[in-house]
Amino acid sequence: MTKARRLAQGVSSLGGFAVVTLLTFIGLMAITFFIGRVIPIDPVLAVVGDRATQEQYDAARVAMGLDRPLIMQFFSYVGDVFQGDLGHSVSTNRPVAQDLAQVFPATLEMATLGILIGIGLGVPCGVWAAARQGTWVDQIIRVFALLGYSVPAFWLGLVGLVIFYANLGWVAGPGRVDIFYEGMVAPRSGLMLVDSALAGEWDIFWNALDHLILPAAILGFFSLAYIARMTRSFMLDQLGQEFITTARVKGVAEWRVLWVHGFRPIRVPLITVIGLSYAALLEGSVMIETVFSWPGIGNYLTVALLNADMNAVLGATLVIGAVFILINKLSDVLYRILDPRSR
């Protein structure tokens, strides 16, 4: 294959990737917009209040563009979104895009540490369970993974606070940092650990980590359950292959059989599993953020729902969905890079 042909294929693949991503994003906008319009919440009342006169109500409705046909409202909404305008928040009296830029890094920080915990523990547990199939080790890991699927997040968060914060005092309580440290670090990336480290404020760094470790560990537990289960399933399929038996007959060390011959082929499908788990942590942290008073996008979305702030609800939902789409597409790209057969 010539260099020009490979370049053309790369450009074509990139163009197809962009088109699919764009269409998926437009579909996401359509779903969030129309669901936001049919739910029994009146955005006009959220603005004018329930004591407003009919004339005030009608004027606000016209000003918000809600008197136009629904399809016209949607096209106007799409145009605003592509210009970076997600509307104005009733709850904070600020642009929704500005609010989301402020709260999303907190969710990203917690979910990133959570997925690192999930990968660091889930993958070895899955490999170990597959290597010890049917033993007590396998049973314990499978029960542990089952708990990750069945235990409610808010209950586990409350129990974690009672045990590790209130009784043992091993971790800090709700919030991102202690009140004393709030506002002492200038936001650069929005990630408290990164910003405090860049500023050389190591007291704030360790305090932020102290606050972060428990909610991130709980999120990591849920991702660990999924990653360990899927890793075990993939490894069992590999360990039943003939080349594994051949390697063992030849006297290859067991750790090499597992981590080189067995684990290497499952890296590709495992990337998709990890990507989906990471996206799920970003969109599923609502309960954890509420329990821990974490100033992230989940907590922002909860407050917006309680205040019938539809612009904030639609904006937060759109951002979460966009992140899910992006991570899923990046997983597909990595899949093709690591597995030449899928190109």
Side-chain angles (χ1 to χ4, degrees):
M1 184 182 295
T2 65
K3 183 177 180 180
R5 187 176 178 182
R6 287 199 300 268
L7 180 60
Q9 286 186 348
V11 172
S12 176
S13 177
L14 183 61
F17 172 81
V19 170
V20 171
T21 303
L22 179 62
L23 292 177
T24 306
F25 184 67
I26 293 175
L28 173 65
M29 283 193 289
I31 293 172
T32 55
F33 176 82
F34 288 111
I35 290 179
R37 288 296 185 267
V38 301
I39 60 176
I41 294 179
D42 191 345
V44 180
L45 283 179
V47 175
V48 301
D50 54 3
R51 294 186 179 181
T53 63
Q54 186 63 40
E55 291 76 11
Q56 292 172 329
Y57 179 90
D58 292 339
R61 189 169 184 271
V62 172
M64 297 171 66
L66 298 178
D67 59 319
R68 296 177 298 168
L70 197 59
I71 190 66
M72 296 300 297
Q73 295 181 40
F74 173 67
F75 284 123
S76 178
Y77 175 70
V78 171
D80 290 341
V81 168
F82 280 114
Q83 294 177 21
D85 182 9
L86 299 177
H88 210 77
S89 172
V90 177
S91 305
T92 64
N93 198 28
R94 294 186 303 183
V96 173
Q98 181 180 339
D99 287 340
L100 293 175
Q102 182 177 343
V103 301
F104 183 72
T107 299
L108 180 66
E109 189 171 44
M110 182 171 63
T112 300
L113 183 57
I115 195 65
L116 291 177
I117 294 173
I119 296 171
L121 297 178
V123 171
C125 284
V127 173
W128 196 18
R132 302 290 186 270
Q133 183 184 11
T135 65
W136 63 271
V137 173
D138 183 26
Q139 298 298 330
I140 290 177
I141 293 176
R142 292 173 65 184
V143 169
F144 195 66
L146 181 62
L147 289 175
Y149 281 97
S150 56
V151 176
F154 72 91
W155 181 85
L156 193 60
L158 291 173
V159 171
L161 281 174
V162 170
I163 295 176
F164 298 105
Y165 166 61
N167 290 335
L168 298 177
W170 289 358
V171 295
R176 205 173 180 189
V177 290
D178 289 345
I179 297 177
F180 176 77
Y181 292 121
E182 288 185 359
M184 294 183 64
V185 175
R188 299 183 185 179
S189 64
L191 307 174
M192 185 62 70
L193 296 181
V194 174
D195 292 343
S196 58
L198 291 176
E201 299 286 352
W202 295 107
D203 289 342
I204 300 178
F205 175 88
W206 293 113
N207 185 261
L209 182 61
D210 201 18
H211 281 267
L212 177 63
I213 192 65
L214 182 58
I218 293 175
L219 285 182
F221 171 67
F222 291 113
S223 65
L224 182 157
Y226 178 56
I227 292 173
R229 177 175 174 270
M230 297 306 297
T231 302
R232 177 184 181 274
S233 177
F234 294 150
M235 281 295 295
L236 285 177
D237 181 64
Q238 289 298 316
L239 294 179
Q241 301 296 322
E242 292 183 359
F243 68 90
I244 296 293
T245 304
T246 303
R248 284 172 170 164
V249 169
K250 289 183 176 180
V252 177
E254 185 65 17
W255 69 267
R256 189 172 181 84
V257 171
L258 293 177
W259 291 103
V260 177
H261 298 282
F263 182 74
R264 184 175 293 176
I266 73 169
R267 292 179 304 172
V268 176
L270 202 57
I271 286 175
T272 302
V273 170
I274 293 172
L276 292 176
S277 182
Y278 186 35
L281 292 187
L282 287 171
E283 69 172 346
S285 61
V286 176
M287 287 298 179
I288 294 297
E289 290 186 4
T290 302
V291 170
F292 286 89
S293 298
W294 194 261
I297 195 170
N299 197 25
Y300 179 78
L301 180 59
T302 302
V303 174
L305 283 170
L306 293 177
N307 293 330
D309 189 353
M310 291 311 300
N311 284 336
V313 171
L314 291 178
T317 304
L318 195 61
V319 168
I320 292 172
V323 170
F324 195 96
I325 292 171
L326 180 61
I327 292 177
N328 191 32
K329 294 302 179 183
L330 288 177
S331 299
D332 291 342
V333 171
L334 290 176
Y335 193 104
R336 294 189 177 190
I337 291 175
L338 293 178
D339 188 359
R341 296 171 300 177
S342 62
R343 297 174 188 172

